[in-house]
Amino acid sequence: MAALDRLGQAHFGLRHEDVAAILERIAEAVTHAAGPFEIDIGRQLDYEEILAQANADLVNLTLAAQRTAEADARQLAQVERRARHLESLNRQLAEKANRDPLTGVFNRGFFDRFLAEQFDRGRNEGTPTGLLLTDVHHFKRINDTFGHQQGDAVIVEVARRLRERTRDGDMVARYGGDEFVVVLPAADLMTVRQVAGRLRTAIWDRPFLALTGGALDVSIGIGAVCVTDYARAGGPAQVLAAADKLLYATKRLRDRKICLVPI
């Protein structure tokens, strides 16, 4: 109301009484317009009543604030605790959104972002980047023979072994189905070969236990690239496509070979 008084005085030369009269006419017009629509907008208040009520409310609020200063301090502490709790929940939700629900490794969305960031970092810092793409040989046969529950158990165990045999700072993600990707920051050709060899050994040379007892024959293929010339590599999509072609070559061979090339 005070703002209306100031605007009316500054722009139209209206006095306080003029503004009040305009507001009263507006209220009357609104009340009249509400009638045909059968809308009850309550008793019409004039400008002075509204202003008096506002002043009274302001006094009450001031007194209440003085009486409850200590309660406000406690409430502020509670709000701060709640805010910290929400921040923690948000971090947990963000982490959960980046994880594959079955295996707990990172999901494809996070992998796409991580590879793009690592590609830019490696290009800017002049350090190589390794990428491994792997899948389980004859995985459909496992599902068809032993059931999807057994297939899921194999996927979970493969993910666990991949995490176990990679370096600190490497990123393991489930790309889809029985396919996994591993990004190796600052990894030269020899390092990529060593990590790929450890992963192959972890899967090929250690038996998988069936849910019904006994052992399963589980093996993987690995297509690997080491990016050293980022201009020639093109971009993250081209690097992934190169690894996929190499993985396809291992799927045809169905042996322990690791297809690895520098690009």
Side-chain angles (χ1 to χ4, degrees), residues 12-255:
F12 305 105
L14 298 175
R15 299 171 302 165
H16 168 76
E17 293 79 7
D18 299 328
V19 173
I22 291 173
L23 292 175
E24 289 175 1
R25 290 199 296 274
I26 291 174
E28 291 173 357
V30 170
T31 303
H32 177 73
F37 296 99
E38 298 182 352
I39 298 174
D40 181 9
I41 62 174
R43 185 178 68 85
Q44 176 183 332
L45 298 178
D46 61 29
Y47 175 85
E48 295 299 336
E49 284 182 282
I50 295 174
L51 186 60
Q53 183 62 51
N55 287 332
D57 289 343
L58 182 60
V59 171
N60 290 334
L61 286 172
T62 302
L63 293 175
Q66 293 173 349
R67 291 192 302 266
T68 60
E70 184 176 346
D72 288 344
R74 289 195 300 269
Q75 184 178 10
L76 178 60
Q78 182 180 4
V79 168
E80 291 175 347
R81 288 194 300 271
R82 186 174 300 172
R84 289 193 296 270
H85 178 63
L86 289 175
E87 289 175 2
S88 176
L89 286 179
N90 285 335
R91 287 193 297 269
Q92 294 175 27
L93 289 173
E95 178 70 11
K96 188 174 182 180
N98 291 328
R99 296 283 179 175
D100 173 59
L102 177 63
T103 63
V105 299
F106 289 106
N107 58 26
R108 181 171 178 175
F110 182 84
F111 158 72
D112 289 337
R113 296 190 298 273
F114 186 89
L115 180 61
E117 293 170 0
Q118 181 55 42
F119 189 91
D120 291 340
R121 183 181 299 111
R123 178 175 53 195
N124 294 334
E125 297 177 358
T127 56
T129 298
L131 176 66
L132 310 178
L133 184 60
T134 179
D135 70 355
V136 178
H137 291 327
H138 303 298
F139 182 70
K140 184 176 184 300
R141 184 183 302 169
I142 296 174
N143 273 337
D144 292 343
T145 304
F146 300 98
H148 289 279
Q149 187 176 9
Q150 178 65 75
D152 286 348
V154 168
I155 292 297
V156 170
E157 179 62 13
V158 168
R160 189 190 69 79
R161 296 186 189 187
L162 294 180
R163 287 200 311 265
E164 184 182 73
R165 302 302 291 168
T166 48
R167 309 171 304 163
D168 291 341
D170 293 342
M171 194 280 301
V172 178
R174 187 182 182 194
Y175 191 69
D178 61 314
E179 286 188 319
F180 292 87
V181 283
V182 183
V183 181
L184 309 173
D188 58 19
L189 192 63
M190 181 177 295
T191 302
V192 175
R193 183 179 292 111
Q194 290 173 345
V195 174
R198 292 202 301 267
L199 299 184
R200 176 183 58 189
T201 300
I203 305 300
W204 280 76
D205 298 345
R206 293 166 54 189
F208 282 66
L209 299 179
L211 296 176
T212 56
L216 293 176
D217 182 18
V218 178
S219 59
I220 60 171
I222 300 177
V225 295
C226 180
V227 183
T228 56
D229 187 337
Y230 287 88
R232 182 177 61 187
Q238 288 76 14
V239 173
L240 182 61
D244 187 54
K245 289 181 180 179
L246 295 170
L247 174 62
Y248 184 74
T250 69
K251 290 171 71 70
R252 293 200 311 270
L253 298 172
R254 291 287 194 269
D255 61 14

